[in-house]
């Protein structure tokens, strides 16, 4: 991990800041603490950060609203935290653009592992193919840009990763478990709705561009990327 990696932590709990700061520092990463969403948005406009750890339930501006505001102008990776474990909260977080989600109480070590995994996924790979093409779809892997018929489609880094993986395996049925492991980078834990939610978002974003490809659902298994349909 880069020694100058800086994480913005937005949470109203002092204990969360102290524990995450200690673990991030042990991994050679810096962290900056804010305790409400408005300050988080202000700092993001003023400084460079590599990732945001964002609590959902905070005084004033909720983390979900902060996430929506961030996504209007930035693809910075976002890891959301919440004291609530209901599936609906997880789905909402992913639908508005979060890259990952973890519920409280959590192990600070696990949060840092998730952070490192996300950052590893968004860092350009020196040995990877820089561009992918499938029909009228093109993906700039290193630049994290997706175009359909020359029109740039606004996508988060995680959405680009997922779409690129599907393109690399076009014509093959890919299970949700495989996508969780390969794209999110951690072992399958039973939350396949994470994949379903992001596939839904990708479909919505490319639908208006009239692509000549599709991501088909294969009942009981996963998804298949097909071209020329």
């Amino acid at each position: 991990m880069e020694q100058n990696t800086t994480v913005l932590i937005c949470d109203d709990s002092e204990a969360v800041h102290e524990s995450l700061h200690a673990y991030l520092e042990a991994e050679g990463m810096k962290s900056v603490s804010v305790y409400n969403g408005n300050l988080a948005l202000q700092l993001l406009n003023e400084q460079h950060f590599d990732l945001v750890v964002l609590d959902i339930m905070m005084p004033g501006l909720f983390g979900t609203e902060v996430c929506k505001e961030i996504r209007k102008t930035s693809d910075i990776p976002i890891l959301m935290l919440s004291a609530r474990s209901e599936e609906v909260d997880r789905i909402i977080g992913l639908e508005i653009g979060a890259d990952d989600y973890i519920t409280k109480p959590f192990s600070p070590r696990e949060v840092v592992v998730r952070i490192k995994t996300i950052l590893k996924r968004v860092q350009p790979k020196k040995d990877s193919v820089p561009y992918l093409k499938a029909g009228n779809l093109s993906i700039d892997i290193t630049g994290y840009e997706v175009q359909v018929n020359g029109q740039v489609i606004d996508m988060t880094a995680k959405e680009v990763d997922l779409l690129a993986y599907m393109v690399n395996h076009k014509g093959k049925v890919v299970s949700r478990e495989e996508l969780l492991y390969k794209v999110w980078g951690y072992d399958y834990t039973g939350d396949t709705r994470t994949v379903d939610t992001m596939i839904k978002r990708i479909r919505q974003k490319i639908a208006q561009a009239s692509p000549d490809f599709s991501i088909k659902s294969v009942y009981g298994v996963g998804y298949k990327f097909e071209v020329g349909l």
Side-chain angles (χ1 to χ4, degrees):
M1 196 65 61
E2 297 282 346
Q3 290 298 308
N4 59 353
T5 296
T6 305
V7 176
L8 177 63
I9 304 172
C10 183
D11 194 292
D12 60 343
S13 167
E14 184 67 39
V16 168
H17 288 281
E18 290 179 355
S19 60
L20 290 183
H21 175 78
Y23 275 82
L24 287 168
E25 187 176 46
E27 293 292 337
M29 290 182 276
K30 301 175 183 178
S31 64
V32 174
S33 294
V34 292
Y35 295 83
N36 65 70
N38 290 315
L39 282 177
L41 292 174
Q42 179 181 330
L43 274 184
L44 284 166
N45 286 326
E46 297 173 351
Q47 302 178 35
H48 169 77
F49 295 95
D50 298 283
L51 182 142
V52 180
V53 176
L54 181 61
D55 187 27
I56 287 185
M57 299 296 292
M58 291 185 295
L61 200 61
F62 274 22
T64 48
E65 295 303 315
V66 177
C67 184
K68 289 177 183 177
E69 288 299 314
I70 293 173
R71 282 292 172 256
K72 290 179 179 178
T73 58
S74 173
D75 286 333
I76 185 173
I78 299 173
L79 171 62
M80 299 202 79
L81 308 176
S82 177
R84 299 187 297 178
S85 60
E86 288 86 351
E87 185 180 48
V88 64
D89 296 322
R90 187 184 309 249
I91 299 303
I92 289 172
L94 294 171
E95 283 183 339
I96 61 178
D99 293 87
D100 205 350
Y101 186 108
I102 191 168
T103 56
K104 300 177 180 178
F106 54 75
S107 160
R109 185 185 301 275
E110 180 185 359
V111 175
V112 173
V113 168
R114 296 283 188 96
I115 289 172
K116 291 172 67 176
T117 298
I118 294 171
L119 291 175
K120 184 177 180 181
R121 293 298 306 173
V122 301
Q123 288 174 348
K125 300 172 181 58
K126 296 180 180 180
D127 58 348
S128 66
V129 178
Y131 292 93
L132 290 174
K133 288 189 67 68
N136 58 4
L137 167 73
S138 64
I139 304 174
D140 179 352
I141 301 297
T142 57
Y144 277 85
E145 182 177 270
V146 174
Q147 293 188 22
V148 178
N149 283 328
Q151 174 186 345
V152 176
I153 308 299
D154 184 24
M155 289 193 180
T156 67
K158 187 66 68 179
E159 290 168 351
V160 176
D161 283 335
L162 179 55
L163 184 57
Y165 191 84
M166 295 298 298
V167 172
N168 269 325
H169 295 79
K170 59 180 177 289
K172 173 188 173 184
V173 178
V174 183
S175 70
R176 293 173 176 83
E177 292 83 358
E178 178 179 346
L179 289 170
L180 276 173
Y181 181 77
K182 295 294 186 179
V183 177
W184 275 259
Y186 53 86
D187 290 337
Y188 170 55
T189 60
D191 189 10
T192 56
R193 288 293 299 276
T194 298
V195 174
D196 296 335
T197 299
M198 192 161 288
I199 289 289
K200 178 182 176 182
R201 276 169 37 199
I202 292 173
R203 284 171 170 165
Q204 290 172 339
K205 290 183 176 184
I206 63 179
Q208 295 181 345
S210 300
D212 60 0
F213 61 87
S214 67
I215 302 175
K216 283 193 168 183
S217 298
V218 180
Y219 182 75
V221 183
Y223 297 95
K224 181 167 66 170
F225 184 92
E226 294 185 341
V227 183
L229 300 177

